[in-house]
Amino acid sequence: MHSLHGNGSVRYLSKNLAGLQSPGRLKHFLKHLNMQNRTGGLPIGACLVQEHNLDPQFRENHQRLAHYFRVLAIIAYGPEGETQGTGAAIFIPYSSIELDTSQSETLHEAIDRVARTKVTALAGRLAQVTTLVAGKPVQITAAYAPARKTKACEKLRVVFMKRLCRYLSRNTLLGIDANCVPDTRLDLRRDATSEYDNEGANELACAVARFGLIDTAREELGDEPFFTCHKNTQAGVCHSRIDQIYTPDLDDQIWTHKPAHDFWPGVHIDHDAISVTMLAAVPDRGHDVNRLDEALFDDVSFNSGLAETITSTWDARDQNSPTSARDAWETIKKRITSMADAETLRKRTASTAAARARDLHIAFLETQLSSGTLDSAGLADLSAL
């Protein structure tokens, strides 16, 4: 019998991050991913990333940082010297890696199994890994199509889509910043009169159709407007759906579309995160350790309380007992853990009226953003929140 993971739902995210190369930005992203996976309602099966712009000379640092946050990082780096507008990656929380129960697998063995399937290609614009989703092998694939033509190749995006097809299968879950839209009638809203560069759209459509992959958002929304990228231009705001997720059509898996404005919402004026949610009976997943809110230890008042607890417990030990130091140390650890757990819970549940009002205002603006009705003033307001 398969057990359900939580309520049976797992979400898969895709987002153009517009760069993670700034100091501390990768750390903050991984911390946000970790927090969202634990407290964001639904567990995150994987986050598919485009345009990370990470420098390959620091790849070992990137892996160490990911491991610290209990995340498997599959990173495709751009060509040497190119650190702008490049790079695809997949980030999978350790706790979301399904165990192969037929092999009595441990979490460590499962992580190694998934990592060995890593594929990076297309000049760092494709990252792929195979993992179990509801007991079935699925090729999780992040892709980032070129935004512009080059002198060397006028049809660069067309060529990319044709080459992308080689890495797809009927078991592929594809998250892509395609830099083109499936249907200019439904997936584009702009005031500019110049022709929209939608090269590559036909080739992508042929590739996903060949393997029966489903544009879950459009299947669910019908003709309803839904936009993922918002850019200010001289002619006004251009809304488009260049960010897309395609899901496999596999037995016992039901995929639904859902916006993901809550995920890494730092730059509203560019790309929104998108997500699909999979509902299925799934095998047991790896069990990871709970982590405390690191922000606790930036709180002077909380740290003062810890120091007082440590000092008072140590001073109260029975100095005549040969095991007093060890006993005191064990008591200190238990009391610190209890304090940290309680404060973490308090911080997670605390919500002021002002914060709730702000969240409602953001949700209202984000609804307008996705539907393409948010004007420049609203876009500026959302970016400032």
Side-chain angles (χ1 to χ4, degrees), residues 304-324:
S304 296
L306 288 182
E308 182 178 342
T309 297
I310 293 171
T311 301
S312 61
T313 304
W314 182 256
D315 289 346
R317 74 189 188 283
D318 181 1
Q319 299 189 34
N320 295 320
S321 170
T323 63
S324 63

Side-chain angles (χ1 to χ4, degrees), residues 72-218:
L72 176 61
I74 306 298
I75 303 175
Y77 295 94
E80 187 175 351
E82 291 187 22
T83 55
Q84 293 294 324
T86 187
I90 302 167
F91 297 97
I92 305 177
Y94 286 172
S95 59
S96 292
I97 296 177
E98 288 186 16
L99 306 183
D100 185 350
T101 54
S102 67
Q103 303 296 323
S104 300
E105 197 174 45
T106 67
L107 176 58
H108 180 74
E109 290 169 340
I111 294 169
D112 286 346
R113 167 177 52 80
V114 174
R116 285 195 299 270
T117 67
K118 169 184 174 181
V119 174
T120 59
L122 304 181
R125 292 183 175 273
L126 179 136
Q128 186 176 79
V129 71
T130 300
T131 187
L132 295 177
V133 176
K136 293 181 171 63
V138 172
Q139 290 178 317
I140 309 294
T141 305
Y144 179 36
R148 298 178 180 85
K149 305 172 183 178
T150 66
K151 293 181 179 179
C153 185
E154 286 290 318
K155 300 285 186 179
L156 187 61
R157 201 180 307 137
V158 171
V159 172
F160 175 86
M161 296 303 185
K162 290 180 177 179
R163 291 177 177 171
L164 172 65
C165 189
R166 304 173 189 172
Y167 297 92
L168 305 182
S169 73
R170 293 192 178 277
N171 285 53
T172 297
L173 171 68
L174 172 66
I176 183 171
D177 176 353
N179 274 306
C180 56
V181 299
D183 186 336
T184 54
R185 179 179 62 90
L186 297 175
D187 301 317
L188 187 65
R189 179 173 294 172
R190 65 188 192 132
D191 296 323
T193 56
S194 59
E195 183 180 359
Y196 183 75
D197 178 9
N198 207 40
E199 282 191 347
N202 290 337
E203 289 72 18
L204 177 59
C206 289
V208 297
R210 176 180 175 183
F211 299 105
L213 305 182
I214 300 170
D215 181 354
T216 304
R218 187 50 64 205

